[in-house]
Structure formats: structure tokens, C-alpha cells
């Protein structure tokens, strides 16, 4: 997630870029920016010494917007349209580093037509890839219980049943097609916020966006793909913006660092339990006061960094990572537990 900077050449500055560069430095070799966005992380990595950066984004607009400056870096920059859940395939070769900036970008929030913002009226869309099922499709067709489950599990919204009931009642009169329509319905179910509190629709919009873009599945797949793609000694830096994301990333690093693998510390280490990462940041790093003052959207961001070991990549159990599961999607757990490591393709994509 990035914020605007008045400089004409650098319209966006990535969140926590200083701590990232300090934690992973020196920056060398081939890096992959799995959430390219406005290109802030990619440009910072190239300027810091990366020989090559592969920028991946599923939003075609993000790649189009890079046309104004990508020539400045020549063949050091590769852009790929795709999901970071397949970043090992997009990389084409083993990587020296991966950076992931999760959630919705400022670029997407600032464009009302993308339908992410409850503060600006626009079509109820929320699709990062601009294809597939939209937020309007979900809100107008999902059963009341399914909506309540999404709001509760993906948004931690305690009033999920009340809000789902209100959505279903409203759509019986007319389809819900705009962001302000939905925000008004949600706000009508909750107390008026006190000064300094977030908008009442914040949690609901987060939950619906996560469902529309299958963000938790993408995150688990992306973390596993990074594990497969990174060279021994390679760095994985992940920036999160809400507690559910951070819990998954935190537990992934703990799990892959072997923190919860051995019940008997005197027993020989099993090959499948060998640490796949060492923790570079012992806890989450947060932005300092200066960064928050310059970019209020950075307030909730957290950074975690791990370094790849020589242990082979392996499957992951989403239950162990605290991944929110909807009642009808528990089969997802078996999918990830039985997943086999994929080879990193050689050569360019």
C-alpha cells in the first residue's frame, strides 16, 4: 500500500521501505515484487542495487501505469500480469528476494470507479483483476447466512448477522450497485462512530473485498510459492495491514522457522521439520511517527522478514496458520496440507 508524494517523478512511496531495505540489505541479484501496484517497492529495490526485479500484479491498470517510467530501468525490470500466488512460475528462476505488500493499494482506493472505497461513490466492484465475480454480484446473490459468515470470519464484524439481514432486505427492494449504498446499509446497523474511530463500514468492506479476491487463499499460496522460489539465503519481506493477514504471516514464519515443529527438543530433527526460514525480524516492525504523519494509511502496517534456509520446500497446514475458514470451505485445509512442492521453471516466462 502506497501514498502520494508531491514529487513529479516519484508519485508514490511504499510503506515501510526504509525498514525493508535495512532488514534485507544489501540488495543484490534477482528480486520479485509480487504486488507491484504503483511500482514503489520495485523502484526502490532497483535503486538499492537489485540486478533485476520482476514486478507481478493481477491488476492490468497497475502495469499500464508503469509505461511512463519503466524504460528508465531497461531490461533490469520485467513486468508480468498474474497473481503472486504463482510467483515461482512468474520468476522463471530462483530468486534472491521477494517482497509482498498485501491488501488494496492507495491507487485502487483513490479511484472511485474501482469500487473499493466506502468514502467515495462508485460501482460496487472491488475486483483487483477487473474480472470475475464482483462485490455487487456477491452482495446481491449470496444467501443471508453466507453473507453473515463472510462478514464475521473475514471482517471480524460482530454485527455480521444484523448487517447481512439488512443487506438482504435492501436488495429485495432494489439491487445494491454502489459503494455508498452498501456503506449506508452497514452504517445503519451500527452505532454512530466516535471521533477518531474508523468508518462503520470498514470491517464489512474488508470482508467483502477479501471474499471477492480470495485473498487468504492467494496469501497462503503466495507464501508457499516464495518458499519454493527463494534461493538459500534469499529474503522474504511481507507487509500486512490488518490483524488477520498479520496472524497468517506471523504463524507462517514461526512454523517455517521450526518454532512449533519439535515437541521433544532432545529428539533428532526430522527432515520434514527442518527450518525452512530463519527469522530476520523477531517481531513485527511498525512505521515510525514520521511515516504515519506523512501517510496515515500506513498506521496499521506491519513488516515481517525471513531468510530462506537450505531445507526443501514443503506443504503447509492453513489451520496451523490461523487462516479464517468459512463453514463451507474447510476442504481448503486438505488442499494445502496435501500440496506437493512445485519446481521453479528455468528460463524466462
Amino acid at each position: 500500500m502506497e501514498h502520494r508524494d508531491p514529487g513529479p517523478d516519484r508519485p508514490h512511496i511504499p510503506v515501510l521501505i526504509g525498514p525493508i531495505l535495512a532488514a534485507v540489505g544489501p540488495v543484490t541479484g534477482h528480486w520479485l515484487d509480487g504486488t507491484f501496484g504503483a511500482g514503489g517497492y520495485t523502484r526502490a529495490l532497483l535503486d538499492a542495487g537489485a540486478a533485476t526485479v520482476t514486478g507481478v500484479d493481477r491488476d492490468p491498470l497497475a502495469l499500464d501505469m508503469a509505461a511512463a517510467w519503466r524504460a528508465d530501468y531497461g531490461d533490469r525490470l520485467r513486468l508480468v500480469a498474474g497473481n503472486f500466488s504463482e510467483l515461482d512460475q512468474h520468476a522463471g528462476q530462483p530468486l534472491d528476494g521477494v517482497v509482498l505488500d498485501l491488501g488494496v493499494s492507495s491507487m485502487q482506493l483513490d479511484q472511485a470507479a474501482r469500487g473499493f472505497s466506502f468514502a467515495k461513490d462508485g460501482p460496487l466492484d472491488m475486483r483487483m483483476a477487473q474480472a470475475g465475480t464482483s462485490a455487487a454480484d456477491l452482495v446481491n446473490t449470496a444467501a443471508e447466512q453466507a453473507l453473515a459468515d463472510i462478514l464475521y470470519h473475514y471482517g471480524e464484524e460482530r454485527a455480521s448477522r444484523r448487517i447481512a439481514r439488512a443487506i438482504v432486505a435492501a436488495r429485495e427492494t432494489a439491487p445494491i450497485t454502489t459503494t455508498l449504498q452498501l456503506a449506508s446499509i452497514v452504517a445503519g446497523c451500527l452505532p454512530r462512530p466516535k471521533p477518531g474511530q474508523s468508518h462503520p463500514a470498514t470491517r464489512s468492506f474488508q470482508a467483502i473485498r477479501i471474499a471477492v479476491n480470495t485473498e487468504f487463499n492467494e496469501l497462503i499460496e503466495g507464501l508457499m510459492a516464495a518458499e519454493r522460489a527463494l534461493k538459500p539465503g534469499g529474503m522474504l519481506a511481507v507487509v500486512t495491514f490488518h490483524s488477520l493477514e498479520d496472524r497468517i504471516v506471523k504463524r507462517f514464519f514461526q512454523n517455517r522457522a521450526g518454532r512449533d515443529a519439535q515437541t521433544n527438543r532432545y529428539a533428532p530433527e526430522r527432515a520434514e521439520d527442518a527450518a525452512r526460514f530463519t527469522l530476520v525480524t523477531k517481531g513485527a516492525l511498525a512505521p515510525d511517527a514520521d511515516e504515519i504523519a506523512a501517510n496515515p494509511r500506513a498506521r496499521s502496517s506491519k513488516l515481517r522478514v525471513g531468510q530462506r534456509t537450505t531445507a526443501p520446500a514443503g506443504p503447509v497446514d492453513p489451520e496451523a496458520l490461523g487462516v479464517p475458514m468459512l463453514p463451507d470451505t474447510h476442504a481448503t485445509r486438505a488442499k494445502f496440507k496435501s500440496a506437493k512442492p512445485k519446481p521453479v521453471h528455468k528460463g524466462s516466462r
Side-chain angles (χ1 to χ4, degrees):
M1 186 174 292
E2 302 171 347
H3 70 88
R4 296 188 183 280
D5 176 61
D9 297 328
R10 303 258 174 186
H12 293 80
I13 297 175
V15 168
L16 289 167
I17 187 59
I20 288 175
L21 295 178
V24 306
V27 178
T28 59
H30 184 188
W31 278 69
L32 184 142
D33 179 356
T35 46
F36 180 75
Y41 289 94
T42 289
R43 296 175 74 159
L45 291 167
L46 288 165
D47 292 345
T52 307
V53 174
T54 297
V56 177
D57 206 298
R58 58 174 161 175
D59 185 345
L61 179 61
L63 304 183
D64 291 343
M65 290 180 64
W69 56 266
R70 63 178 298 182
D72 296 345
Y73 296 96
D75 59 6
R76 296 175 63 206
L77 172 61
R78 292 177 64 242
L79 296 182
V80 177
N83 293 359
F84 69 74
S85 57
E86 299 175 330
L87 68 85
D88 55 333
Q89 307 303 303
H90 300 318
Q93 60 185 12
L95 296 168
D96 295 278
V98 172
V99 61
L100 300 175
D101 171 28
L102 305 179
V104 62
S105 73
S106 294
M107 177 182 65
Q108 292 164 330
L109 284 172
D110 291 342
Q111 296 183 19
R114 300 301 301 276
F116 288 100
S117 177
F118 45 73
K120 300 177 180 180
D121 201 18
L124 190 58
D125 194 323
M126 299 193 193
R127 295 173 297 176
M128 292 182 180
Q130 301 186 41
T133 301
S134 70
D137 295 329
L138 177 64
V139 165
N140 287 293
T141 64
E144 180 178 322
Q145 185 59 55
L147 286 171
D149 288 339
I150 288 169
L151 298 176
Y152 181 78
H153 291 283
Y154 291 173
E156 299 180 300
E157 175 54 73
R158 294 182 179 181
S160 59
R161 292 182 181 178
R162 189 186 319 149
I163 294 170
R165 192 178 310 121
I167 289 173
V168 171
R171 77 190 191 193
E172 289 177 352
T173 302
I176 303 167
T177 59
T178 72
T179 54
L180 290 191
Q181 275 182 281
L182 179 59
S184 177
I185 293 167
V186 175
C189 298
L190 298 170
R192 185 184 299 273
K194 297 177 182 178
Q197 288 185 329
S198 60
H199 190 285
T202 300
R203 290 184 294 274
S204 294
F205 269 60
Q206 170 189 301
I208 293 168
R209 189 202 78 222
I210 288 171
V212 165
N213 296 288
T214 61
E215 291 181 28
F216 291 135
N217 282 358
E218 288 291 312
L219 176 54
I220 301 170
E221 291 277 14
L223 294 172
M224 292 171 63
E227 182 177 292
R228 293 192 297 267
L230 285 166
K231 299 175 182 177
M235 296 288 191
L236 172 59
V238 186
V239 177
T240 62
F241 287 88
H242 60 76
S243 59
L244 296 176
E245 287 176 342
D246 184 61
R247 181 177 69 194
I248 293 170
V249 175
K250 174 184 178 180
R251 292 186 181 180
F252 173 82
F253 276 129
Q254 288 178 336
N255 179 282
R256 309 318 256 178
R259 291 289 185 88
D260 55 0
Q262 293 288 111
T263 56
N264 181 355
R265 63 181 181 141
Y266 297 106
E269 187 178 58
R270 299 187 299 274
E272 65 269 28
D273 291 336
R276 298 171 172 96
F277 282 90
T278 57
L279 304 181
V280 176
T281 55
K282 303 306 179 183
L285 300 182
D288 60 23
D290 290 341
E291 180 166 2
I292 293 173
N295 177 19
R297 288 177 180 168
R299 184 184 302 111
S300 61
S301 62
K302 294 182 178 179
L303 167 67
R304 297 183 186 274
V305 181
Q307 185 171 32
R308 192 71 172 87
T309 69
T310 58
V316 66
D317 180 359
E319 186 175 23
L321 304 187
V323 178
M325 292 283 186
L326 300 182
D328 61 347
T329 58
H330 287 281
T332 303
R333 180 181 300 112
K335 170 187 174 184
F336 289 107
K337 290 179 72 174
S338 62
K340 295 181 179 180
K342 302 176 185 178
V344 176
H345 290 322
K346 303 297 182 181
S348 58
R349 179 178 181 270

